[in-house]
Amino acid sequence: MADHVTVREAAEADGPILAGIERRTPLQLGDSALVIDRRDDYFAAARLMGEATVLIAELNGVPAGVFCAVPHRAMIGGVERRMLYIHHARILPEAQNKGVGKLLGDAVREKFAGKVDSNYFYISPGNV
């Protein structure tokens, strides 16, 4: 049976699941790893960002990944642009290379289609 990925907007009730995904996917910083633990309120930081959106992906019905996105204004080459910053992007190790990240990316681009000029996020070259 082929893997099945679904993506939806996360709800407050998903907070503990999303926090667990983030704890299980540390940021690799050279020889060190940074584990982020948002504790009881996964959405606290997102609420400070205005129009933030949090998407959750499920692989075969099991939570497997998360993307947060927030649009903002930026000056690029003297031109005001509306950019979409994708952050807190995490895919569980067992769900990597199964299309989860692609479908999360597709969903966030679709949600903000026509509302932003471009999107971006930062990925450490050594972060699997």
Side-chain angles (χ1 to χ4, degrees):
M1 179 173 99
D3 290 316
H4 179 69
V5 179
T6 58
V7 176
R8 62 176 171 80
E9 285 203 40
E12 290 285 332
D14 294 313
I17 293 166
L18 298 173
I21 290 171
E22 201 165 49
R23 281 191 301 273
R24 289 190 51 212
T25 53
L27 300 174
Q28 292 303 129
L29 306 169
D31 293 335
S32 300
L34 173 65
V35 176
I36 297 173
D37 187 354
R38 296 189 191 281
R39 300 286 178 150
D40 296 335
D41 191 356
Y42 178 86
F43 293 92
R47 278 192 222 92
L48 298 174
M49 296 183 205
E51 299 177 56
T53 294
V54 180
L55 300 177
I56 184 171
E58 294 178 345
L59 177 65
N60 301 322
V62 177
V66 58
F67 269 24
C68 300
V70 62
H72 65 91
R73 297 192 184 288
M75 292 297 287
I76 300 174
V79 178
E80 186 174 299
R81 302 281 186 196
R82 187 127 164 102
M83 302 298 293
L84 184 66
Y85 176 43
I86 300 169
H87 57 104
H88 305 168
R90 302 287 192 280
I91 309 295
L92 288 176
E94 63 270 21
Q96 292 176 7
N97 298 312
K98 296 188 178 188
V100 173
K102 181 187 181 317
L103 290 178
L104 278 165
D106 290 348
V108 79
R109 281 188 298 277
E110 183 178 315
K111 177 171 178 60
F112 289 96
K115 299 175 186 174
V116 297
D117 296 302
S118 187
N119 63 66
Y120 67 100
F121 56 101
Y122 301 102
I123 301 172
S124 171
N127 192 355
V128 295

